[in-house]
Each structure stands twice: as C-alpha cells, then as structure tokens.
C-alpha cells in the first residue's frame, strides 16, 4: 500500500541491528508521563481559586513570574545564539561534529520548556492550595503535591522523550538521509552517537545554570528584603499585604524554586542517562570477545544503552503510582507529613529494586546481576542522602532544634550553630557517595575493565534519579505551599488556613533540601562517569576528526581505538606530579568558591536595593503600615527582575569559559584536574550550604509554632536573621554548584576537539615546553 515506506523500512533493516524491545519502554513511559502531567494539570485547574481577593493576589504573582521568565529567556536566547554560532564555527573547521550545535539547542529548549510549564502550574496552584487547605490539611496536601507532580512528570517525560527521539534519528535516519555524515553505515555508530548526544546535556546544563542562578538571585533578593525590613524592622508578619516586597517574594518562590529547580533536575536526569550510555558503549568496545557472548559489538552496545533507558522508564511508572499513595490525617504533625511523603519514595524505590532485576535478565546483560547490585547501591545512597538531609534540616530532629535554642540567646550563636550543622551534615552523604562509588565500580568489574566499573557508577546515578518524577513532585510542592500561605495571609483567611499551609511549607523546606541532596549526590556519581566520557570524546576526536589512528606511548605503538583509560593517563601524563594537573585541580577548587562568592554577592547587591525600596515606601507612604494606603508592589518586582537579569550572566559565563581556557592552556591533563577539583569541592560545599540554609529556615519555623517565645520574640527575630543568611546559601549558591559541576564536564566534552587541536591535547604550555 505504501511502497516508499516499505522501501525505507527495508533500507533501515538492512543497515541497522534492531533496537532491543526493552529500549522502547523509554519513549512509551515518556509519553505516559506527559499524559499524566496533563491530567494532573487539568484536575488542578478545575478547582476553585477561592475569594476574589485570593484570585487577585494569585494573578499578580502569575503576571510577575511570567514577566520575569520572558525577560530571562530573551537573555538566555542571546547566549544560546552565540554558543550555537561558536559550535557551527568549530564544526566548519572539523573541530566538532556538525550535529552538535543542533543537539545543544534542543537540550536547552526542553529544559527551558520544563521550567515554563512547572512555573505556570505552580502559579495557578497556590490560591487553589490555600482554598483547599481551608477545608482540610489533606486537601491542601493533595492539591500542592499533584501540582508539583506536573513539574516532576514533565521533566522526566521531556528528558526521556528528547533522548530517545534523538537516538532514533541518529541511529536509523541519518545514515539514509545523510550518508556522508560521520556516522558510518558499515562501522559501529554507537560511540559517535553517544558522544553527539552528550552535547544535548550541555544545552540542558547551560539553561539550567541560568535558571538556577537567575531565579535564585530573584527569589532571595525579594525574600531578604521582605524579611529584614518587614519582619525584623517593622515587626509585621510574614506575607503581610502591607509589605511592599511580599508579591515579589511570592513571585521569587516560583521563578527560583520551581522554574530553576525544574531546569536543574532536568539536566541532572538527562546527564546521568547520557553519560551512562556513553560509558556502556565504550566499555563494550574494550571488553573482548568473551564478554560479548557471541554478539557483535553493536548488539552488545545497544543492550548497554537500553539499560539506563529501561531503568528510567520503570521509575516513571512507579513515580506515578507513588503520587497516588500520599495521604495524611488532619492532626498530622511535621513527622507524620514527612512520613506520608517518604512512603511514596520508599515504595517506588522498592519497586525499582524488584522490577529492575527481571528487566536486566531479559536484556541479557553478561553481568546483569552485578549491574543490579549497582542499582541497589544507587537507591541506598539516594535514601541515605535523603534521610541525612531530613535529619539535619527538619525541626522534628535535634540539630534544627539546637539552632532554635541558640537563637534564644542571640543571632550570632544561631549563625554559629547553623554553620556547624551545615558542615557536619556533609559527613554522612559524602561517606555514602564514596562507598557507593567504590562498591559500584568494583562490583561492575572495574578491576578488569575500568570503563565497565564506571558504567556501574553511572547506573547507580540513574537509579538514584529513577524516581525523580516523584522526588521532584515533593520538591516542587514546597514553593506551592509557601505561596499558598502567602495568599492566605494577604487575603485575610482564617488563622487555621495559615497554620495548615505553614505545616505544609515546613515539610516543603525539608523535601526541597532532600531534593537538593539527591541532585548533588547524583551529580557526584554522574561527574565520575563524565570524566571517563570526556576521555572517550578525546578518543573520537583523535580518530574521526584528527585522523590519528595510532599513538606512541613509551616505546610502544598503540591503536587509538584500543587505548585503555590507563593508556590515556600515561599518554597525557595525568599524574599528581604533573604541574598541569595540579594547576587544573586548584583552579577547580578556586572556581567552586569564586562561583559561590559571585552568586552570594549578587543576592546581597540585589537584596540591598530591595531593602532600600521597602524602607523608602514605609517612610514616604506612612499609610502603608496603617493599612490605609497600598504599597507599590510592582516597583519591588521590577527591582528583583532587573537585578536577576544583570547578575546571572557573569557566574553562568564563568562556568563555560573556565574549562575552555584551562584546556587550551594546560591541555587534557589540566582539564581532568579541573573537573576533579570542582567535583570534590563543589560537592562538599553544596551540601554544607544547602543544609545549613534549610536548618536555619526550619529553626525559624520551629519558633513560629510557639517554641522559645513564638512569633515576635527575640528568639524569632534572631532566627529570621539566620534564615536570611541561609536563604542565598540554600536557594542560590548551593543548588547552583550542582549544575556547575556537570556543566563544566559537559563543556569539556563538547570543546574536546578544540582542546586536542592545541599540541594534540598537550595545551599551549605543553607546546611551549616541547
């Protein structure tokens, strides 16, 4: 009936091995995720937004959030256009594959789209959550969680759909439509395909960093201004409609903690799958005939690509089921609410552990049992990181209560205690990640095949993020509950409504901290995989773009195609005795600290402008505090918007420029040192800052429920100071480090061709010395 289609299908089948059936779970699950996201959104939109005043406040927040996002995307669009042109230029000079610029654009596009949809949902959900909370605590929880689930499911749905569609295009269609492209019909195309798809990760990472940094600056400038002048100086409640910064504060919760967070975890999720796929293909290539078990290298590579895709697909289905499991009783305290949310996480993780075993067996992985143990390791590490974060940030536990007790003494002692809690909180997550890396590496066979060991580490990261659909739902629900509390306060609803939304918000602070813990823990595992993926990209650059088939190491000539990781280390002199490695290492350490300083100072400068504006309005319009005149909310929204747009550019560009400069000057060895230094330092620093900020925030909320004098007491004012210091730590600098770690790795991968061009990867220093 369709002869052209029949000829096309026959052509495809003649040049390509069929993709394993388990791989197709990926696009199917992605579509299911998007269907349920649409369903949850429609259900939420059918609910009432409450009184006319509630609707007015919600609309003001919506307009402010959309205006900010529109301006941010225009700025980011310019940066993407410049990078796209740079990538086209590199492709023209044979320093990069010609498909990379387009893969880069789609990664950024889908990441930005996830942030937009998540924020649109959140701004529509806040008033509806407040109105539902007027009926019962469980109703408020359900509305906020289902709205958060839209974000979670959109992120995993679009990420998995983008990855699988690109793979089908590169694997099946490009050899026919572009037969002269780099993807050879005769040879195994998987190394080239997975290398190109890593550039998709750079697009997602770049967009995520702008969203996190810009959104974090916006939200914390508004939050700090609202708290310092409103709660501390004017002694008015949080989210009081008399506070000129309160609308900007509510807008900030959405652009930073929803749009920024969605783009952030989209990048984490996609990056872990892409890096693991690339390592699986590379590991197969060096495993030898015995490992292939009568399969061709292409067939075995397809199986290892299918593994993280199938694992992510299972996680999507289980995340949807977990969302339906969350319920709570009306008299629930913070511990009970956390337990209700944790129930979904534990059951979905248990489902991954059980269902992944037969999936791996059906995929016929030669080391299927070992890979299953790596999946278990990733799940355990994720739960340990999450529970450690919960212990150190929830006021149901002693560390946060100790901060509240110190706030009863003074702001200084509260700050000291909070900083100590943040530093201590890194011990258990770091230990868990280290044990998880070592366990996964050796169980997967790292002693015999380094790349296979790192594939095990990568699959642990995928396992940790496999239930991201649910984890991100619990994360995004926090800002929605926070906005619901603000709406209830400004609309003058019954006191019990604010009490219920405060309960949900306090739990949201903990779930947000847990989400950040998952993100940074998975970043550590994924970045380990990306270090090896970087060297695999160097291999392809040498072979495909530079035409180098053999290299001399010592007195031995070795085929580039058969070089092991140890061969690469020796060829590029990657040892701690090489000054280039040390220079890169210290540059990475310094970059993490300087980047954090840039984002913190950006918040400080933006907040200073907000504080001055709120003080000015209180001084020049005395009727505001008396309730006889309305504040100028729009002016505060404009201050945060302008500050965020201006301040986000320098930190984001630094993350892109530093790896390129280090690579050009110090070569491959310098880049590896840079990535290692940034990973180790950024990981520890991010945990410290995120958990300290979360603990200070919940210490304040612990006092607000009546402890140590309650709201308006000296302890409360001291705790507000601690919360204000912690805000940019937990919502700007800390989470942004998670993206910095992976973006620098992705940038290194994408610019590998340029780096190799300088002295064959030795850098300008190496060229000069030789």
């Amino acid at each position: 009936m369709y002869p052209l289609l029949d000829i096309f299908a026959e052509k495809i089948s003649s040049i390509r091995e069929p993709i394993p059936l388990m791989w197709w779970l990926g696009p199917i699950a992605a579509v299911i995720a998007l269907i349920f996201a649409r369903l949850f959104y429609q259900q939420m939109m059918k609910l009432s937004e409450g009184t006319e005043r509630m609707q007015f406040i919600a609309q003001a927040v919506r307009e402010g959030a959309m205006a900010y996002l529109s301006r941010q995307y225009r700025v980011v669009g310019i940066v993407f256009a410049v990078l796209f042109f740079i990538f086209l230029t590199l492709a023209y000079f044979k320093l990069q594959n010609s498909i990379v610029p387009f893969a880069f654009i789609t990664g950024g596009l889908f990441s930005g789209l996830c942030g937009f949809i998540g924020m649109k949902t959140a701004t529509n959900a806040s008033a509806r959550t407040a109105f539902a909370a007027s009926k019962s605590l469980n109703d408020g929880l359900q509305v906020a969680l289902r709205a958060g689930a839209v974000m979670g499911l959109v992120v995993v749905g679009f990420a998995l759909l983008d990855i699988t569609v690109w793979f089908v295009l590169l694997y099946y269609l490009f050899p026919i439509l572009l037969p002269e492209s780099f993807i050879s019909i005769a040879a195994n195309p998987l190394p080239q395909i997975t290398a190109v798809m890593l550039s998709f990760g750079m697009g997602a990472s770049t967009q995520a960093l702008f969203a996190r940094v810009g959104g974090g600056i916006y939200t914390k400038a508004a939050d700090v201004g609202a708290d310092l002048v409103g709660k501390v100086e004017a002694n008015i409640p949080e989210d009081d409609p008399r506070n000129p910064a309160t609308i900007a504060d509510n807008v900030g919760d959405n652009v930073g903690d929803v749009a920024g967070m969605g783009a952030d975890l989209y990048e984490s999720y996609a990056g872990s799958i892409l890096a693991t796929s690339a390592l699986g293909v590379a590991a197969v290539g060096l495993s030898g005939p015995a490992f292939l078990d009568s399969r061709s290298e292409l067939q075995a590579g397809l199986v290892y690509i299918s593994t993280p895709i199938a694992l992510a697909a299972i996680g999507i289905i289980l995340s949807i089921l977990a969302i339906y499991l969350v319920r709570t009783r009306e008299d629930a305290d913070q511990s009970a609410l956390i337990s209700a949310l944790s129930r979904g996480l534990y059951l979905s993780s248990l489902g991954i552990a059980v269902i992944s075993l037969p999936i791996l067996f059906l995929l016929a992985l030669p080391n299927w049992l070992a890979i299953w143990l790596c999946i278990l390791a990733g799940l355990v590490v994720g739960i340990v990181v999450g529970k450690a974060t919960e212990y150190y940030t929830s006021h149901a536990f002693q560390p946060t209560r100790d901060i509240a007790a110190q706030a009863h003494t003074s702001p200084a002692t509260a700050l000291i205690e909070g900083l100590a809690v943040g530093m201590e909180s890194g011990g258990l997550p770091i230990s868990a990640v280290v044990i998880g890396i070592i366990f996964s590496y050796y169980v997967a066979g790292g002693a015999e095949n380094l790349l296979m060991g790192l594939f095990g580490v990568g699959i642990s990261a995928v396992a940790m993020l496999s239930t991201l659909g649910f984890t991100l739902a619990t994360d995004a629900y926090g800002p929605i509950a926070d906005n619901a509390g603000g709406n209830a306060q400004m609309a003058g609803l019954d006191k019990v409504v604010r009490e219920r939304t405060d309960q949900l918000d306090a739990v949201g602070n903990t779930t947000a901290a847990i989400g950040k813990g998952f993100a940074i823990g998975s970043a550590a595992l994924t970045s380990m995989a990306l270090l090896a993926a970087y060297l695999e990209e160097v291999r392809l650059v040498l072979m495909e773009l530079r035409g180098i088939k053999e290299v001399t190491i010592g007195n031995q000539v070795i085929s580039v195609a058969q070089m092991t990781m140890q061969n690469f280390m020796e060829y590029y002199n990657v040892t701690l005795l090489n000054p280039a490695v040390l220079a890169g290492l210290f540059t990475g350490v310094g970059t993490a600290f300087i980047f954090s300083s840039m984002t913190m100072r950006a918040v400080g400068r933006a907040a200073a402008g907000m504080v001055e504006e709120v003080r000015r309005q209180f001084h020049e319009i005395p009727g505001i505090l008396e309730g006889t005149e309305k504040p100028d909310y729009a002016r505060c929204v404009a201050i945060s918007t302008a500050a965020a747009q201006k301040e986000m550019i320098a930190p984001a560009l630094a993350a892109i420029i530093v790896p390129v400069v280090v690579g050009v000057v110090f070569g491959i060895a310098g880049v590896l040192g840079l990535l290692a230094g940034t990973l180790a330092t950024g990981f520890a620093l991010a945990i410290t800052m995120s958990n300290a900020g979360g603990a200070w925030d919940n210490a304040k909320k612990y006092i607000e429920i009546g402890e140590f004098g309650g709201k308006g007491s000296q302890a409360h004012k001291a705790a507000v100071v601690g919360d204000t210091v912690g805000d940019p730590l937990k919502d700007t600098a800390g989470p942004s480090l998670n993206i910095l770690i992976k973006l620098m790795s992705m940038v290194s991968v994408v610019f590998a061709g340029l780096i190799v061009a300088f002295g064959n990867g030795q850098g300008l220093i190496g060229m000069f010395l030789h």
Side-chain angles (χ1 to χ4, degrees):
M1 184 179 293
Y2 303 104
L4 287 177
L5 288 178
D6 291 340
I7 293 172
F8 193 69
E10 184 179 348
K11 179 82 170 174
I12 288 175
S13 63
S14 68
I15 63 172
R16 285 288 179 255
E17 289 283 348
I19 297 175
L21 286 176
M22 289 298 173
W23 182 92
W24 293 99
L25 291 175
I28 292 170
V31 172
I32 291 173
L34 296 176
I35 289 172
F36 271 89
R38 177 68 177 169
L39 174 65
F40 288 145
Y41 181 80
Q42 290 175 329
Q43 290 174 345
M44 181 267 296
M45 290 299 291
K46 290 178 182 177
L47 301 174
S48 172
E49 275 197 296
T51 66
E52 185 176 337
R53 176 66 177 165
M54 293 171 70
Q55 294 175 37
F56 171 79
I57 294 165
Q59 183 61 27
V61 173
R62 267 194 296 272
E63 290 175 358
M66 290 301 172
Y68 166 79
L69 209 59
S70 175
R71 286 188 60 176
Q72 184 191 67
Y73 285 170
R74 286 200 295 271
V75 173
V76 175
I78 294 171
V79 174
F80 266 74
V82 172
L83 288 172
F84 180 76
F85 176 76
I86 291 172
F87 293 150
L88 283 179
T89 303
L90 292 175
Y92 178 80
F93 287 105
K94 305 297 184 183
L95 296 174
Q96 198 172 75
N97 186 268
S98 57
I99 302 172
V100 165
F102 304 97
F104 165 77
I105 289 294
T106 62
L109 180 66
F110 278 104
S111 178
L113 183 61
C114 288
F116 173 81
I117 293 173
M119 196 180 71
K120 182 179 179 181
T121 304
T123 53
N124 279 308
S126 58
R128 291 174 169 85
T129 299
F131 187 72
S134 66
K135 300 176 182 177
S136 74
L137 180 65
N138 185 59
D139 283 354
L141 172 65
Q142 293 300 321
V143 175
L145 182 64
R146 299 290 172 89
V150 174
M151 165 66 87
L153 294 176
V154 162
V155 164
V156 296
F158 275 131
L160 204 52
L161 191 65
D162 196 16
I163 290 170
T164 52
V165 167
W166 259 113
F167 183 79
V168 168
L169 289 174
L170 292 171
Y171 185 70
Y172 279 130
L173 298 185
F174 272 71
I176 296 173
L177 301 177
L178 298 171
E180 299 302 320
S181 72
F182 76 103
I183 302 177
S184 168
I185 292 177
N188 176 13
L190 298 183
Q192 296 98 319
I193 290 175
T194 52
V196 167
M197 290 179 67
L198 280 172
S199 61
F200 152 76
M202 183 189 163
S205 296
T206 304
Q207 164 60 30
L209 191 62
F210 275 104
R212 257 304 187 191
V213 173
I217 292 168
Y218 185 111
T219 182
K220 293 306 107 180
D223 201 358
V224 170
D227 282 357
L228 285 181
V229 186
K231 286 158 59 173
V232 176
E233 294 181 9
N235 202 29
I236 58 178
E238 185 172 10
D239 296 315
D240 192 297
R242 294 172 293 175
N243 192 328
T246 192
I247 293 293
D249 187 12
N250 280 267
V251 171
D253 290 335
N254 292 287
V255 301
D257 296 339
V258 178
M261 177 180 57
D264 177 354
L265 288 168
Y266 178 96
E267 175 260 355
S268 297
Y269 186 76
S272 65
I273 294 173
L274 293 167
T276 305
S277 298
L279 283 174
V281 169
V284 166
L286 296 176
S287 295
F291 184 82
L292 297 179
D293 191 25
S294 77
R295 285 180 291 200
S296 69
E297 190 175 312
L298 175 58
Q299 290 171 326
L302 286 170
V303 169
Y304 278 93
I305 286 177
S306 301
T307 303
I309 297 292
L311 185 59
I314 299 167
I316 286 176
I317 303 304
L318 291 172
S319 293
I320 294 170
L321 295 176
I323 290 163
Y324 283 102
L325 292 175
V326 176
R327 293 283 187 280
T328 193
R329 61 181 189 275
E330 193 55 34
D331 61 344
D333 57 11
Q334 191 183 36
S335 296
L337 284 169
I338 290 175
S339 296
L341 292 169
S342 298
R343 189 183 310 125
L345 175 62
Y346 294 149
L347 290 176
S348 58
S349 297
L350 180 62
I352 289 287
V354 172
I355 298 174
S356 62
L357 184 61
I359 292 290
L360 294 175
F361 179 76
L362 291 173
L363 279 168
L365 287 170
N367 54 346
W368 61 274
L369 186 57
I371 298 303
W372 181 67
L373 292 175
C374 295
I375 291 172
L376 295 186
L379 293 171
V380 170
V381 169
I383 290 173
V384 169
V385 170
K387 297 305 291 183
T389 304
E390 177 187 331
Y391 174 74
Y392 282 105
T393 60
S394 169
H395 66 55
F397 301 102
Q398 199 61 41
T400 298
R401 294 186 176 190
D402 287 343
I403 297 172
Q406 291 290 0
H408 189 58
T409 304
S410 71
T413 50
L415 291 174
I416 293 169
E417 184 68 23
L419 195 56
V421 166
M423 290 178 175
E424 181 185 318
S425 70
L428 190 55
I430 290 172
S431 299
V433 168
V434 168
I435 293 170
I437 288 172
I438 297 297
F439 178 85
S440 300
Y441 178 84
Y442 284 106
V443 165
E448 293 79 29
N449 184 337
L450 185 146
L451 286 170
M452 187 57 70
L454 290 174
F455 174 81
V457 175
I459 209 72
S460 293
V462 176
M464 188 187 296
L465 289 172
S466 58
T467 56
L468 184 64
F470 178 77
T471 306
L472 188 51
T474 64
D475 203 347
Y477 120 96
I480 294 170
D482 191 2
N483 261 222
N487 189 293
Q489 182 78 33
M490 287 184 280
L493 300 187
D494 191 273
K495 183 180 177 182
V496 71
V497 180
R498 183 63 199 244
E499 290 174 354
R500 288 169 179 165
T501 58
D502 278 351
Q503 278 185 277
L504 297 174
D505 183 24
V507 176
N509 282 330
T510 299
T511 56
I514 291 172
K516 293 181 181 83
F518 267 87
I520 191 62
S522 67
L525 295 176
T526 303
S527 295
M528 280 288 296
L530 283 170
L531 285 171
Y534 173 62
L535 289 177
E536 284 304 307
E537 179 70 14
V538 171
R539 184 200 305 273
L540 288 171
V541 168
L542 290 172
M543 293 170 56
E544 304 295 334
L545 300 180
R546 308 285 295 173
I548 299 173
K549 303 302 181 184
E550 295 178 336
V551 296
T552 302
I553 302 176
N555 296 319
Q556 186 178 5
V557 176
I558 299 177
S559 166
V560 174
Q562 295 302 313
M563 285 176 69
T564 63
M565 290 294 104
Q566 291 87 344
N567 291 148
F568 275 107
M569 297 295 106
E570 187 177 353
Y571 183 64
Y572 287 111
N573 191 23
V574 183
T575 73
L576 288 178
L577 298 179
N578 182 355
V581 174
L582 289 175
L585 189 68
F586 281 106
T587 303
V589 172
T591 300
F593 278 96
I594 292 170
F595 176 84
S596 299
S597 170
M598 293 170 75
T599 54
M600 293 282 288
R601 282 183 168 174
V603 170
R605 285 191 293 268
M610 185 67 68
V611 167
E612 291 301 318
E613 174 61 22
V614 176
R615 285 174 177 166
R616 182 194 68 78
Q617 291 196 35
F618 281 159
H619 177 71
E620 296 180 5
I621 315 174
I624 290 177
L625 288 174
E626 297 169 6
T628 58
E629 294 186 73
K630 286 185 178 181
D632 184 357
Y633 299 122
R635 176 62 184 155
C636 292
V637 170
I639 287 173
S640 265
T641 301
Q645 300 306 315
K646 176 184 175 183
E647 300 283 1
M648 73 179 181
I649 296 174
L653 291 182
I656 298 171
I657 293 170
V658 169
V660 179
V661 173
V662 169
V664 168
V665 176
F666 296 108
I668 304 297
V671 171
L672 290 171
L674 173 77
L675 299 182
T678 307
L679 169 59
T681 307
F683 178 39
L685 198 56
I687 291 176
T688 296
M689 291 195 291
S690 294
N691 287 351
W696 273 317
D697 195 347
N698 275 335
K700 177 198 69 176
K701 286 182 167 54
Y702 184 58
I703 293 171
E704 287 175 345
I705 63 175
E707 300 295 329
F708 301 108
K711 290 184 178 180
S713 66
Q714 289 302 312
H716 183 233
K717 290 183 178 180
V720 169
V721 173
D723 177 33
T724 304
V725 172
D727 273 340
L729 291 175
K730 71 180 175 67
D731 291 326
T732 308
S736 296
L737 279 170
N738 161 45
I739 309 169
L740 176 76
I741 292 169
K742 283 173 292 180
L743 176 57
M744 290 177 71
S745 299
M746 292 291 187
V747 169
S748 301
V749 169
V750 173
F751 281 92
L754 178 66
I755 307 307
V756 172
F758 285 88
N760 205 26
Q762 302 294 335
L764 292 176
I765 295 292
M767 291 171 65
F768 175 76
L769 293 176
H770 289 86

